[in-house]
Each structure stands twice: as structure tokens, then as C-alpha cells.
Amino acid sequence: MSTARHDPIAVAVTGLGLVTAAGIGVKETWSQVTGATAPRGVRRPPSLQDLPCDFMYTVGGLDIDAVLGVASSRLMDRFAQLAVVAAREAVADAGLGPDIWDSTRVAVVIGSAHGGLDFYDEQQSALTARGARRVSPRLAPLSVVNGAAGSVARDLGTRGPSLAVATACSSGTDAIGTALQLLRAGACDIAITGGAESMSSRAVFAGTCNAKALSTRTEDPAAACRPFDVDRDGFVVGEGAGILVLERADHARARGAGSRAAVLGYGAATSSEASSPVAPSEAGIELALRAALTDADVGPGDIQHVNAHGTSTVMNDLVEAAVLHRVLGDGPLVTSTKAMTGHTLGAAGGIEAAFTVLALENQLVPATVNLQTQDPGVPVDVVAQSARTARLNCAMSTSLGFGGHNSVLVLARD
């Protein structure tokens, strides 16, 4: 659990990059998330055929070979490719690049829950069907969880710390928290951070469905992800990447850069008392929330908005909402943007932190699309149906992961 900080170093968000089922790039994604009344990008990949849950959110209209070049794209699994596309946008948005920064002072910290699992599954099938000589020599470098961090560092030519964080669905948020700590410690001046994921493994989908965590609303998949709704029946997997450029505020000022938001604090805690690795725990979530508030040196009444983990599973939404209400009270406007992006697993924290920055910038809280009837057991003000304008100065983004991981970021309008 994070503790109170006495470090005067301020950290700014100077760039954002997004690749999601809702859109490619920050502008298109935010427009869809705040303006559309129904999700797009919910598709039935061939790899999921005949499973009880045979649909997921996928990124459409992105020609990876054209964007990255055939030679470069072949050196990355898809999750790493998405990370590089988002990182390029974030770095350009920050007005940075190899001709501007000291590459030894730039860190890369990217989270992913599964890494290149699909490629691993593909090669396992090749081994079983055709023998060892048919397994790709690229298996190890493409399937490891650090593939996104390494690919982004290589693509951008950074030479500072390059780290991967794997804490299930908290990975993206914990990556940003780790980057924040590196900046505070003086280990870097700039951190390219967030999360990336692309996973459609039949085995994982089948197992997660058997655990009653995935929606089986196959007759209407676009309406299946419905956080906080009384009729929710599980989450829907998505792919994507959300990358933020964090920068020491004094470094950003020295080069004349603007700040999109400030990262005030980070809290993390483990639900070691949970009954199973997939069970949410009020105690762990509360510890992470209070740690983030303490680290940010703000009170519960200072939080006006929460981009909640809000997975659309029966227990997660009830437990998370109860703790948010107990810690923060009636004040914050709560939303879950997963109905527009799917649950992007390890990428969720990066994508949703970017959405939280955009909410602060635009003074606009995205709606929880597909929420028709709020569960009476959810005691918070959930924004539904359409985006809501509000006066926002300070906001939170929360992530909860299988294995008992809970992590929270506090961001503020600059």
C-alpha cells in the first residue's frame, strides 16, 4: 500500500495516445465514448467460434503494416503493435521525440495481463500438430509480457528504464503508478506509460466463461457489457492500448510544454483475505482508495469524478460501488467506460486514465452506455445514457485485478 508522500516533485501528463474499439487516436475515441449511444467494434472472431461467449471488442480499420512497416510489425505481437501506435501518438502530442529528449532520461513502463498469449497458443498448436521444427523462433520475444515495453522503447529509441507490469486487470494503472514513482525518485524526467492488450485465447475465454465472469448474451453482444445494470451478466473482453506521457513538471516547464493534467497520487493494495483469486474484496479496494487519497494529499470530498473499474460482473460492480460510496460519499459522478471499449484487461488502466484526463480537460463525464436500469444495490451516482457536464477539478481512476490486485490513481485539472 502506498503511504503519504513528502516529495515536492509535481508530475504532469503532457501527452495521450489511444487505440481502442471505440476509435483510433484520442480524438476519435473520445468522440465515440462521449457522443455515441451504443458501442461499436463488437465482433465475433473466428478463434472464438462455438464458445459460450464468442464475441469481443476489437480495433477496426487499423492497417498495422502500413503504420509500422512490414519488417517492424513482424517483430511484435499485436498487443505490442497497439502499444507502439498509441505511444507514437502520445509522444507526438507531448511535443517530444528523439531530437528533443535525452534518451537516457526517458523511461517506458507498460502493463499487460497476458502479453502475446495468442501467439503462444498458435505456436503450441503448431508444435502439437506438426512438431518442434515448425515452432517459430520468434516465440519467446513475441509472447513475453515485456514485449510492449521493449517494442515501444526500441521504436522510440529510449534508453532509460524499460519495465513491464503484470498485475492482471490492474496492470495499466500499476504501470502508471510505477512510472510516477520513478519520476518522483529522479530516475527519469519523462515516462511513457500505460497498458496494452490483445487476447482472444480460446482456452482463456472458455475458462473465464466457466468461472461465470464473461457475458453470454450472444443474441445481442453490443448490449452485453452493461456495468451497474440490474441485468448485467459478465464482462466482455476488448483489445486496445492507452499510453500517457508523464513528465516532471519542472522539466515540462523548462521546454515550454503544456500540461493536460497532474498526477497527484497512486495507491495499491492486495486483497489477500479474498475467498478466491477472482473474488473482489471490499477491504483491499478500500485500502487502495485511501492510500491514493493520502498519497495525493486530498480528502474524499475533493473527488468529483471516478472512472470506475465497473466490469459488468455481478459481484464486482456491487462491491466496488459499495466501497466507493463508503470512502467518497455521494459526491462523485461515477462512470464505467467499458461498455464502449470492452474490458481491455491489462490495458484498461491506461485507457481509463486517459479518459479521466480527458474528462478533467473537457469538464465532461462519459456515460455508462448500456446502463438501462441501475442495480438498486449500487449506491453511487452513475452517469448513464448520455455524457454529463460537471465542474471537475480532481478525479480518480480505479482498477481491480484477478489475484487480489487493487490500484487507484488520483488526477487533477491543471
Side-chain angles (χ1 to χ4, degrees):
M1 181 176 71
S2 296
T3 56
R5 68 179 172 93
H6 306 287
D7 190 338
I9 294 173
V11 173
V13 179
T14 56
L16 298 177
L18 287 168
V19 181
T20 73
I24 299 168
V26 170
K27 183 177 181 180
E28 182 183 11
T29 299
W30 183 244
S31 176
Q32 284 292 311
V33 167
T34 56
T37 57
R40 67 182 188 183
V42 185
R43 300 179 174 90
R44 300 181 193 269
S47 63
L48 304 182
Q49 186 175 356
D50 300 326
L51 291 180
C53 177
D54 63 354
F55 54 93
M56 64 178 290
Y57 289 70
T58 62
V59 175
L62 177 61
D63 186 339
I64 287 288
D65 287 348
V67 174
L68 302 183
V70 175
S72 292
S73 67
R74 293 298 181 268
L75 298 175
M76 310 174 204
D77 187 78
R78 184 167 172 81
F79 85 109
Q81 294 168 349
L82 298 179
V84 169
V85 174
R88 285 184 179 183
E89 182 186 25
V91 168
D93 182 46
L96 288 166
D99 57 334
I100 295 172
W101 60 37
D102 174 356
S103 63
T104 66
R105 298 289 298 166
V106 182
V108 176
V109 189
I110 298 178
S112 179
H114 294 283
L117 182 60
D118 287 3
F119 188 64
Y120 182 91
D121 283 357
E122 178 186 313
Q123 297 308 305
Q124 178 63 51
S125 297
L127 175 65
T128 301
R130 294 181 287 170
R133 293 184 64 84
R134 305 300 298 188
V135 175
S136 171
R138 299 179 297 149
L139 174 58
L142 266 66
S143 63
V144 288
V145 176
N146 70 307
S151 295
V152 167
R154 185 171 61 249
D155 184 74
L156 296 172
T158 65
R159 296 191 294 159
S162 177
L163 308 174
V165 175
T167 50
C169 302
S170 292
S171 299
T173 297
D174 285 326
I176 296 169
T178 300
L180 174 66
Q181 292 170 338
L182 287 173
L183 287 159
R184 287 176 175 173
C188 59
D189 298 318
I190 299 163
I192 300 162
T193 184
E197 199 82 79
S198 181
M199 190 282 296
S200 59
S201 165
R202 283 181 65 81
V204 174
F205 266 73
T208 310
C209 188
N210 290 341
K212 310 298 184 185
L214 290 181
S215 172
T216 56
R217 198 184 298 263
T218 56
E219 74 283 358
D220 190 10
C225 185
R226 43 201 315 118
F228 304 116
D229 191 274
V230 69
D231 291 326
R232 67 194 181 280
D233 73 326
F235 69 83
V236 181
V237 173
E239 65 170 357
I243 302 295
L244 291 74
V245 174
L246 305 189
E247 196 168 348
R248 290 167 58 107
D250 56 351
H251 186 274
R253 284 193 300 269
R255 66 181 185 89
S259 172
R260 302 192 71 151
V263 185
L264 297 186
Y266 162 66
T270 304
S271 299
S272 57
E273 77 291 342
S275 59
S276 79
V278 300
S281 156
E282 290 194 14
I285 301 168
E286 183 169 351
L287 280 170
L289 284 167
R290 295 194 184 281
L293 291 170
T294 299
D295 191 45
D297 195 23
V298 299
D302 295 316
I303 305 298
Q304 290 108 19
H305 166 47
V306 179
N307 188 306
H309 190 57
T311 59
S312 184
T313 61
V314 174
M315 287 309 299
N316 175 91
D317 292 4
L318 289 175
V319 171
E320 183 181 13
V323 178
L324 288 174
H325 186 258
R326 182 162 64 245
V327 176
L328 303 177
D330 296 319
L333 300 178
V334 177
T335 193
S336 171
T337 44
K338 285 183 171 66
M340 294 301 288
T341 64
H343 186 355
T344 55
L345 310 174
I351 292 169
E352 291 158 18
F355 289 161
T356 307
V357 171
L358 291 164
L360 290 164
E361 274 190 340
N362 293 280
Q363 300 288 280
L364 184 66
V365 177
T368 305
V369 177
N370 288 340
L371 173 53
Q372 301 296 324
T373 304
Q374 184 168 322
D375 189 323
V378 172
V380 293
D381 186 358
V382 182
V383 178
Q385 304 301 316
S386 60
R388 193 186 305 179
T389 57
R391 184 176 179 83
L392 306 176
N393 294 310
C394 196
M396 277 182 159
S397 179
T398 63
S399 293
L400 319 175
F402 286 176
H405 305 285
N406 306 279
S407 53
V408 180
L409 293 169
V410 178
L411 299 109
R413 188 181 186 192
D414 246 4

